[in-house]
Amino acid sequence: MTILRSRIIGLGSFLPERVSTNDDMAKIVETSDEWIVTRTGIRQRHFAAEGVSSSDMAVKAAEEALKAAGVKGEDLDLIVLATVTPDKTFPATAVYVQAALGMTHGCAFDVVAACSGFLYALRAADNMIRLGQVKTALVIGVETLSRITDFTDRNTCVLFGDGAGCAVLRAEECDGSLADRGVIDTLIYSDGRYAPELCSTGGPSTNHEVGYITMNGREVFRHAAVNMADVSEEILAKNGVSMEQVDWLVPHQANIRILEATAKRLGIPMEKVISTVGDHANTSAASIPLALAESYKSGKIKEGQLLLLPGMGAGFTWGAGLIRL
Ligand code: ACO
């Protein structure tokens, strides 16, 4: 039987030029390189320059991905963009990207699922491709978290960074086996009871403000590794795949200790875990596609390899993608 699969035909990423090291952070809050590295594995983060918006960074990443895919902006049928730091409260940041890429047909919309955002966006685009509703789609994760970071709060300000990552998907007929290249499966979940544990202090309909990131770090930590490992096991079992068959784990990059705990629960060695958190810090929705694109560009991840992408974030939301690149 022939089915439609979303093949990834191009990857792109963008990191702003300005780098802030842990020593730089120690100049603005009472912290140290030693504390940050030991607790999180983060050594530096990138911050967007004044005047650079999420759509600006998304367009840069998209242009790289489209070039790699040999696709023009006008050929895209769909853009799904994941972010918690939109250019404006409305319209969707995706429509600014749509206009900048010269795409005048189809549709573009945002999804808000924090650090799981790319997985939510991927599932939305993949399902539309599987149904034959669109042929070519751009899935983007982008964040300008520095704009909602409280730089007087050492509990949170050392953890986050800015950046963008994206993938171009194209519908391809396949026989539906594990050997097919493309998105094999996706799973997404949420549990709103945990919303207060990690959220913004503001919003248009509550206090007219954008707000800042506030977080119960221990509670987030406790759930992150468990949820990412559980959803990984679920997606593997559902598709009859063993952990040994997975070439790379490309998890949401929150914290090296969360990555290590997830890998331990899954019984996968750290040598098979992509870790970019040291250089990028936590870029929320951008972290998985950024890690994917950068690891592909460096030659670490190769075409044809089987990738497992678990993520977890505010909501709480969590999910996983199983992809043969
Ligand atoms: N520098 C120095 N000291 C600090 C800093 C800092 N940047 N931040 C907090 N501290 C202090 C605290 O004030 C506390 O001091 P106190 O004991 O005098 O009150 C002390 O360090 C210890 O704090 P703990 O909460 O015990 O530190 P912990 O070992 O739990 O690490 C951390 C904190 C890193 C936030 C951890 O809880 C964590 O990684 N949580 C996950 C959070 C995360 O990654 N969130 C990202 C968004 S969600 C996601 O992406 C999945």
Side-chain angles (χ1 to χ4, degrees):
M1 195 186 70
T2 305
I3 62 155
L4 282 174
R5 271 222 163 72
S6 312
R7 169 110 170 248
I8 295 183
I9 58 168
L11 290 166
S13 57
F14 178 78
L15 285 160
E17 212 175 300
R18 189 180 146 214
V19 169
S20 182
T21 64
N22 291 345
D23 287 338
D24 293 330
M25 297 305 292
K27 289 177 195 147
I28 53 174
V29 284
E30 203 182 322
T31 190
S32 65
D33 178 58
E34 194 267 333
W35 192 96
I36 301 170
V37 170
T38 314
R39 305 290 176 116
T40 72
I42 296 167
R43 293 184 303 275
Q44 61 171 45
R45 69 286 293 143
H46 292 249
F47 288 143
E50 206 50 51
V52 172
S53 67
S54 287
S55 70
D56 293 329
M57 294 196 292
V59 168
K60 294 251 196 273
E63 284 169 346
E64 187 177 87
L66 289 171
K67 193 172 173 212
V71 168
K72 291 196 176 74
E74 66 206 44
D75 298 329
L76 290 169
D77 308 312
L78 170 71
I79 298 176
V80 190
L81 183 148
T83 193
V84 295
T85 46
D87 285 22
K88 297 189 177 182
T89 304
F90 76 92
T93 302
V95 301
Y96 293 112
V97 178
Q98 178 187 27
L101 296 178
M103 172 191 165
T104 51
H105 75 285
C107 69
F109 62 91
D110 288 3
V111 297
V112 181
C115 304
S116 315
F118 183 76
L119 299 170
Y120 272 62
L122 183 68
R123 183 166 171 94
D126 179 45
N127 283 343
M128 287 167 84
I129 284 178
R130 282 171 191 252
L131 287 171
Q133 295 170 339
V134 301
K135 254 191 151 157
T136 313
L138 183 62
V139 183
I140 305 172
V142 59
E143 299 290 3
T144 320
L145 293 175
S146 57
R147 303 281 150 71
I148 58 164
T149 299
D150 177 358
F151 284 100
T152 64
D153 176 15
R154 69 175 181 175
N155 289 294
T156 53
C157 75
V158 300
L159 301 176
F160 301 102
D162 301 337
C166 67
V168 183
L169 309 184
R170 189 165 60 202
E172 259 181 34
E173 290 192 344
C174 299
D175 63 11
S177 78
L178 188 63
D180 291 345
R181 288 178 62 188
V183 180
I184 310 278
D185 202 1
T186 53
L187 287 175
I188 54 171
Y189 293 109
S190 65
D191 187 340
R193 290 174 299 172
Y194 295 98
E197 307 295 349
L198 176 59
C199 60
S200 162
T201 55
S205 68
T206 50
N207 60 3
H208 312 260
E209 289 173 6
V210 174
Y212 291 109
I213 300 167
T214 171
M215 176 185 77
N216 177 350
R218 287 201 177 165
E219 194 63 7
V220 172
F221 195 101
R222 209 166 62 79
H223 282 83
V226 175
N227 287 1
M228 290 209 286
D230 285 356
V231 74
S232 294
E233 278 171 352
E234 186 185 346
I235 202 167
L236 292 182
K238 186 171 166 234
N239 291 279
V241 179
S242 71
M243 199 63 234
E244 290 68 42
Q245 289 173 278
V246 174
D247 293 297
W248 292 103
L249 191 74
V250 191
H252 165 53
Q253 307 283 320
N255 178 316
I256 192 68
R257 291 192 301 161
I258 294 177
L259 266 57
E260 285 166 354
T262 307
K264 194 171 169 203
R265 287 182 83 91
L266 288 171
I268 187 168
M270 280 306 282
E271 294 75 57
K272 287 173 85 174
V273 179
I274 296 293
S275 170
T276 54
V277 68
D279 292 332
H280 303 169
N282 183 346
T283 58
S284 191
S287 98
I288 291 177
L290 244 175
L292 192 57
E294 299 268 312
S295 309
Y296 176 71
K297 279 190 270 181
S298 73
K300 205 167 181 178
I301 290 180
K302 296 182 174 56
E303 285 177 14
Q305 289 188 321
L306 191 62
L307 314 177
L308 178 56
L309 282 47
M312 139 90 194
F316 289 149
T317 56
W318 65 101
L322 186 63
I323 292 170
R324 188 172 294 285
L325 198 62

